[in-house]
Amino acid sequence: MDLVLLAWKNLWRSRRRTLITLIALSFSLMLVQAFHNLSYGVYSAMIDSGVRAGSGHLVVYHQDYVASRDEQFSFAPGQLREQLSALAGVAEVLPRLYLPGLAQSSRESRGILLTGVIPQAEQRVNPFLRDLPTDQQLESLSGRQAILGSRLLKELQLKIGNKFVVTLQNASGDLVSEMFRVRGAVQTGIKTIDSSLLMVGHQRAAALAGLPGEIHELAIVLQSQKFERLVFPALQQLLKNHPQQVGLSWEEAMPNLANAIRLDYASQKFIFIILLLIVTIGVVNTLLMSVMERFREFGVILAVGASAMRLRLLVFSEALLLGLVSMLLGSALGSLATWYLQEVGINLRYFIDETLEFGGVVFDPVLRAAWDRPYMLQIAGFMLLLSLAAAVYPAIKAGRIKPAEAMRHH
Amino acid sequence: MPLIELKSVSKIYPLGSQQVIAVDDLSLSIEAGEFTVLAGPSGSGKTTLLNLIGCLDEPSRGEVWLDGQEVGGAPQPQLAKLRLRKIGFIFQSYNLIPVLTAAENAEFTLMLMGVPKSRRRQRVVELFAELGLAGLEERKPSDLSGGQQQRVAIARAMASQPAVVLADEPTASLDSQASEELLALMRRLNREQGATFVFSSHDPLVISRAQRVVTLRDGRLESDR
Ligand SMILES: Nc1ncnc2c1ncn2[C@@H]1O[C@H](COP(=O)(O)OP(=O)(O)OP(=O)(O)O)[C@@H](O)[C@H]1O
Ligand SMILES: [Mg+2]
């Protein structure tokens, strides 16, 4: 305890040097925390919108559908939807039927992906559908209303209320056609979706394809991503009764997004480590200077009976205190920056005009941070360790001082 | 049995390709309660001899005995312990830790020994009263005169009641009046408390106050009276 007190006093002996080191440590910690929290927030939002518009946090497919995307691998969900909806943390369970086909207006024809959905359920979670006015929403499972991707609508030269025909191959291999009417249009910003999406009531689509009650995808949207750890095992349990079906997480179902995020985190980590290492070198320099300046004083301390170990501990205590103070200061600054980035955010609209797409998911132009407290704690602890590591060489130096020599030459 | 006994001790420093014989085959014994000065011209080996007695340095040849124990060749941590318990040190200047107060400096060895804070303070208050330092407990070394600093160093050296107090030219940075006062103080501690002092000096005035004068020349004993 007395040693720690002495270390604390020693730290403030060269006030300016200590302050500069403290600021360097605190600022780099703040930068790392704030920057991480910003990308954490952006990714969470991205995952959320990607998951809601896409295949959900968790998704069930026929095991052969995953790789082939062949529409013959449909399945009957049975009680799965009800069972999953009953689990804690599940916001919505969305059955979907995907049928490739051809859409024809009086002027043009285009390849489309006819998607049979439960409209009310989709509207509750899908951000693009939610933004549509009520008079553009699908009203029933079996109606002839259809929502088209904005680009598809334009290419077919259709307007809301116009009729068009969809042709596809049904389950028995026959070509079948059905007339639909444009109810609304969505713009997601993703080209492939905007030019091929054709959303209709599930019953109508299933009847057309001759697959009544069947689906290709059962997307599960959770209240938040953190429920994944709870719901995923429960899903696997339920799927024991459905040996043909597999349950995937969003990372497996949307590998592009997951990989893009992983890659970005990895490059961030690399930059963070380099930043912290540079700062650590500065700390080594500070500690070493302060040890060399006190050569004679350390000689006296050793002469009056302190062991070399105690001197080493003194140097470590100084580094520990330096690390602790900057850990607290840096985390306070990091929290402040995170708070600002969460409340105000960074509006990319000032810089870029186009729709922002990342890993196949469109994101909000206002980047907002989210709190990743375990990470903040972890990186703060890491910095503390680095300051201790920075003390190793100076401590060895201090421990090697020979009192007789220190007294004679300094 | 003498408190300090040097048996044919030599200390040889390598200096480039040559050797410096700082202490040359020297034998000396000092009893508990003595007040001994090491005199001699510059380079005669006073500091080296004090370092050998104080376990700060090891002899090249011969034996150093302290309080019935041979100290040469002991491992470093053990030497540190020996210095802590048996020896008090006073150096010529810059003895004190600048960030600590006078009292904290005086307590320092007791702190190293793990003596509880209240007992430490009590001992220091006693010593400060005796050394004419009362009221200066909370001063930083930079706010003390040279003589006061040296007295704080004496307090630190005496605090743990060591077997011997070693002082290397303790008055060299002081004016003659302060030197005189410091010496009188050491002499009183020696008489009243029976503390053993061994110190070096080349100040004739200081030397004249000693009970025993050991004069060195070129690392050898020139006279002992
Ligand atoms: N570490 C060392 N390396 C080389 N030579 C040394 C070393 N320490 C002392 N010496 C030499 O040993 C001799 C004795 O030195 P010492 O310091 O003991 O003398 P001193 O009597 O204390 O002198 P002064 O009165 O100047 O303090 C001197 O010639 C000195 O140069
Ligand atoms: Mg000397």
Side-chain angles (χ1 to χ4, degrees), chain A residues 104-316:
Chain A
Q104 288 169 281
S105 69
S106 50
R107 306 203 181 164
E108 287 286 342
S109 63
R110 284 285 182 281
I112 49 99
L113 188 66
L114 186 72
T115 307
V117 299
I118 298 181
Q120 283 75 21
E122 298 281 346
Q123 282 155 25
R124 279 195 290 270
V125 294
N126 186 321
F128 301 113
L129 292 179
R130 207 167 32 203
D131 292 346
L132 283 184
T134 330
D135 62 3
Q136 288 196 26
Q137 305 275 14
L138 299 182
E139 286 175 316
S140 79
L141 280 170
S142 54
R144 290 180 182 277
Q145 296 169 344
I147 292 176
L148 278 70
S150 55
R151 208 181 168 93
L152 179 64
L153 188 78
K154 204 179 284 169
E155 284 175 357
L156 290 174
Q157 301 184 25
L158 287 169
K159 293 204 165 52
I160 287 178
N162 289 168
K163 289 187 236 171
F164 62 97
V165 173
V166 170
T167 305
L168 50 79
Q169 203 170 25
N170 72 6
S172 14
D174 303 324
L175 282 182
V176 288
S177 293
E178 183 87 72
M179 193 272 291
F180 288 94
R181 193 183 287 276
V182 180
R183 173 73 171 173
V186 288
Q187 181 166 12
T188 63
I190 300 168
K191 214 183 264 175
T192 53
I193 293 181
D194 288 346
S195 58
S196 69
L197 176 75
L198 209 169
M199 197 179 269
V200 300
H202 174 261
Q203 257 174 38
R204 172 65 62 178
L208 179 62
L211 297 167
E214 300 256 313
I215 61 173
H216 288 112
E217 176 181 280
L218 192 62
I220 302 158
V221 176
L222 304 176
Q223 271 147 21
S224 86
Q225 209 196 320
K226 62 173 179 272
F227 286 105
E228 190 174 321
R229 275 188 310 162
L230 233 69
V231 178
F232 198 43
L235 170 66
Q236 300 295 5
Q237 196 62 35
L238 286 172
L239 287 181
K240 287 208 171 125
N241 299 325
H242 301 259
Q244 296 255 280
Q245 273 68 274
V246 287
L248 305 176
S249 64
W250 70 267
E251 287 99 330
E252 296 166 297
M254 298 193 286
N256 286 346
L257 178 60
N259 285 334
I261 290 177
R262 256 196 292 274
L263 185 68
D264 198 56
Y265 270 140
S267 57
Q268 261 185 35
K269 193 174 262 173
F270 185 68
I271 293 168
F272 289 171
I273 286 176
I274 287 184
L275 177 69
L276 290 178
L277 278 182
I278 289 172
V279 173
T280 309
I281 292 170
V283 179
V284 174
N285 183 45
T286 303
L287 292 172
L288 203 58
M289 262 167 77
S290 91
V291 165
M292 296 323 251
E293 281 169 6
R294 288 180 287 168
F295 212 73
R296 192 194 149 91
E297 183 179 325
F298 282 176
V300 172
I301 291 176
L302 287 170
V304 301
S307 59
M309 193 37 141
R310 223 187 258 257
L311 217 49
R312 286 194 282 265
L313 277 178
L314 180 67
V315 176
F316 272 118

Side-chain angles (χ1 to χ4, degrees), chain A residues 2 9 13 296 303 310, chain B residues 83 89 93 98 104 112 120:
Chain A
D2 295 288
K9 288 176 176 170
R13 212 163 167 154
R296 192 194 149 91
R310 223 187 258 257
Chain B
R83 292 198 292 268
F89 278 100
S93 56
E104 287 168 338
L112 290 177
R120 253 148 55 188

Side-chain angles (χ1 to χ4, degrees), chain A residues 2-3 5-6 9-10 13 296-297 299-308 310 402-404 407-408, chain B residues 13 47-48 51 56-57 80 83-84 89 91 93-95 97-100 104 108-109 111-112 120 156:
Chain A
D2 295 288
L3 201 70
L5 201 66
L6 178 57
K9 288 176 176 170
N10 279 333
R13 212 163 167 154
R296 192 194 149 91
E297 183 179 325
V300 172
I301 291 176
L302 287 170
V304 301
S307 59
R310 223 187 258 257
K402 299 262 181 298
M407 231 67 76
R408 187 180 295 272
Chain B
Y13 292 109
T47 299
T48 305
N51 287 346
L56 292 178
D57 226 336
R83 292 198 292 268
L84 182 59
F89 278 100
F91 302 100
S93 56
Y94 305 114
N95 266 298
I97 300 170
V99 290
L100 298 181
E104 287 168 338
F108 194 76
T109 48
M111 187 270 276
L112 290 177
R120 253 148 55 188
R156 181 184 63 199

Side-chain angles (χ1 to χ4, degrees), chain A residues 408, chain B residues 46-48 168-169 200:
Chain A
R408 187 180 295 272
Chain B
K46 304 182 293 291
T47 299
T48 305
D168 194 10
E169 313 213 19
S200 68

Side-chain angles (χ1 to χ4, degrees), chain B residues 129-187:
Chain B
E130 201 154 348
L131 294 167
L133 291 169
L136 301 180
E137 285 85 355
E138 301 311 318
R139 291 264 188 102
K140 288 281 167 65
S142 53
D143 299 329
L144 296 172
S145 72
Q148 288 168 335
Q149 289 184 29
Q150 288 306 72
R151 278 183 274 158
V152 174
I154 294 181
R156 181 184 63 199
M158 299 282 298
S160 58
Q161 291 168 305
V164 58
V165 177
L166 304 177
D168 194 10
E169 313 213 19
T171 61
S173 324
L174 302 181
D175 59 41
S176 57
Q177 198 195 331
S179 300
E180 189 111 28
E181 281 170 15
L182 193 78
L183 211 73
L185 203 59
M186 284 163 58
R187 187 72 173 118

